Amino acid sequence: VYFFFQTKTLLPSYTSTKEQMQIDSPRLRITQTKKMYARNKETITVFYNVYTNPWSYGSLAKSIVDEQMKGIGSIHQVFVRSIGKPIQIEHATILQHDYKGDEPQTLELLYHFCVENPNATVVYLHSKGSFHHKKQNDRLRQFLTRGALSEECAHMPDQCNICSSRFSPHPHPHTSGNMWVAKCEYVRKLINPIEFAQKMEDIYHDGDSIKGITPGEVDKYHPSWFGLGRYAAEHWIYSHPSVVPCDLASDEYKFTWGYEGIPDQDFQIDLKIGPRFEKQVFQPFADPLRIQQEYLALYNEPAPKNWWGWDYYKD
């Protein structure tokens, strides 16, 4: 016999349970976050998705959280959406806790915040490795966390609207591991992340939106090749045609996506507009026509003149 429970709170980590604020929707929770953001508009708001195995003591998740929180700087304000077993997180505000859940619900909190705060900059961070604990996840988490909390991404050039340790256009536009910094003026253009995965399924299976590949052919490939299923959470932030990605890991690191060749945490930083490498380095799969059809199907907008793909896919 076990008990299912679900709570939603906006609660500083040092606050007693008697002082919890019961908030019933993402927009109401973000109203509270907006008030905190308004106190200091120079801050960068971090939305941190933390998973702790509900049947564990929480020591693994706590060690990962402690590791990532060491990168938090004075410019950051951290809001946590936790899943599973509640754990203590210092210097952060628990925005929501759920017994069950996934990343899109946390991304929705970030999304609504950006809708309300178009001039803000946000970080998306998550405790990668607390669900599947393996060395590859540890290495990728450390690589991505450094970029997402870096000064370089915090002060990305005006022409960039998203910044991460590495942007890859293949097999779909994404950052493997899904941690990044983004400008809210861009984020607010996106589809609500709760709706995005289903929208992707719809356009790839209606037989009309994406030409050149049938729904049956789509199903023969792994969902990661198109940013479908759980991989939609990684694809979401890069899904709008106005995206201008920057990344940090210098040219000496040929890491592109997945797990092979992940740089050390102390990698050399050299911010550039992505994609950083020629398409041969990224093991091409995604074709430009398919991505442009995605833009039209998702947002009814074509790729603009400054789209990253024009030069990248040029022969």
Side-chain angles (χ1 to χ4, degrees):
V1 178
Y2 65 92
F3 296 94
F4 175 86
F5 63 92
Q6 183 178 35
T7 60
K8 294 183 174 68
T9 66
L10 188 146
L11 172 67
S13 59
Y14 50 79
T15 303
S16 70
T17 54
K18 292 181 181 179
E19 299 172 75
Q20 291 183 8
M21 299 173 61
Q22 297 301 319
I23 301 177
D24 297 320
S25 73
R27 285 194 176 278
L28 287 175
R29 287 192 293 278
I30 293 309
T31 298
Q32 301 299 322
T33 311
K34 182 180 180 181
K35 291 178 181 177
M36 296 180 184
Y37 165 75
R39 297 173 191 167
N40 185 357
K41 293 189 177 180
E42 298 302 314
T43 63
I44 291 179
T45 305
V46 179
F47 287 82
Y48 189 14
N49 186 89
V50 176
Y51 171 79
T52 306
N53 187 327
W55 309 115
S56 72
Y57 289 106
S59 56
L60 171 61
K62 188 65 167 64
S63 67
I64 290 173
V65 168
D66 289 346
E67 171 199 288
Q68 291 183 294
M69 289 294 288
K70 287 179 181 177
I72 295 297
S74 59
I75 61 172
H76 295 119
Q77 186 174 24
V78 182
F79 291 94
V80 174
R81 185 282 181 108
S82 60
I83 305 167
K85 182 176 183 174
I87 61 172
Q88 180 89 359
I89 302 177
E90 297 181 358
H91 309 299
T93 298
I94 307 299
L95 194 61
Q96 177 177 331
H97 177 78
D98 300 294
Y99 184 73
K100 295 181 179 180
D102 211 337
E103 290 187 59
Q105 292 84 30
T106 309
L107 291 171
E108 185 185 33
L109 295 171
L110 177 151
Y111 170 76
H112 283 307
F113 175 82
C114 281
V115 170
E116 298 290 335
N117 299 279
N119 296 320
T121 299
V122 290
V123 172
Y124 179 64
L125 209 64
H126 66 98
S127 58
K128 188 168 186 64
S130 63
F131 188 76
H132 294 297
H133 187 219
K134 54 185 180 180
K135 289 183 179 180
Q136 288 177 316
N137 277 336
D138 290 343
R139 192 173 180 91
L140 185 57
R141 179 187 66 249
Q142 292 161 2
F143 172 66
L144 295 175
T145 300
R146 185 183 177 207
L149 298 179
S150 68
E151 288 284 338
E152 288 80 4
C153 276
H155 302 101
M156 71 182 88
D158 290 343
Q159 61 265 45
C160 302
N161 48 33
I162 180 169
C163 181
S164 65
S165 295
R166 175 68 81 234
F167 163 68
S168 176
H170 300 294
H172 61 93
H174 75 295
T175 288
S176 288
N178 203 28
M179 300 187 214
W180 35 261
V181 185
K183 295 176 180 177
C184 280
E185 62 183 352
Y186 166 74
V187 175
R188 66 202 305 262
K189 299 176 183 178
L190 303 177
I191 294 169
N192 186 316
I194 292 293
E195 304 167 3
F196 183 72
Q198 186 58 57
K199 183 68 174 176
M200 285 288 290
E201 292 289 340
D202 292 344
I203 66 172
Y204 273 93
H205 288 93
D206 65 12
D208 184 56
S209 297
I210 308 296
K211 309 292 186 184
I213 187 166
T214 67
E217 290 173 321
V218 169
D219 292 337
K220 292 178 181 178
Y221 290 92
H222 194 273
S224 63
W225 289 108
F226 300 99
L228 298 175
R230 71 181 183 86
Y231 300 95
E234 289 186 337
H235 187 49
W236 173 72
I237 193 63
Y238 292 101
S239 66
H240 196 277
S242 65
V243 65
V244 184
C246 284
D247 72 17
L248 298 183
S250 69
D251 294 2
E252 68 179 279
Y253 308 103
K254 298 305 182 184
F255 171 71
T256 54
W257 57 280
Y259 288 104
E260 186 176 350
I262 301 169
D264 292 332
Q265 186 176 10
D266 60 350
F267 64 90
Q268 181 179 342
I269 288 178
D270 177 27
L271 187 148
K272 286 186 179 180
I273 295 177
R276 178 174 293 265
F277 305 118
E278 295 180 352
K279 57 180 179 290
Q280 290 81 3
V281 177
F282 284 103
Q283 305 172 33
F285 179 83
D287 67 81
L289 179 60
R290 175 168 69 82
I291 297 173
Q292 291 176 66
Q293 289 179 107
E294 259 191 36
Y295 293 154
L296 288 170
L298 292 171
Y299 298 103
N300 197 30
E301 292 186 32
K305 291 182 179 179
N306 67 337
W307 180 48
W308 58 264
W310 294 127
D311 289 335
Y312 177 74
Y313 286 109
K314 184 170 60 178
D315 292 331

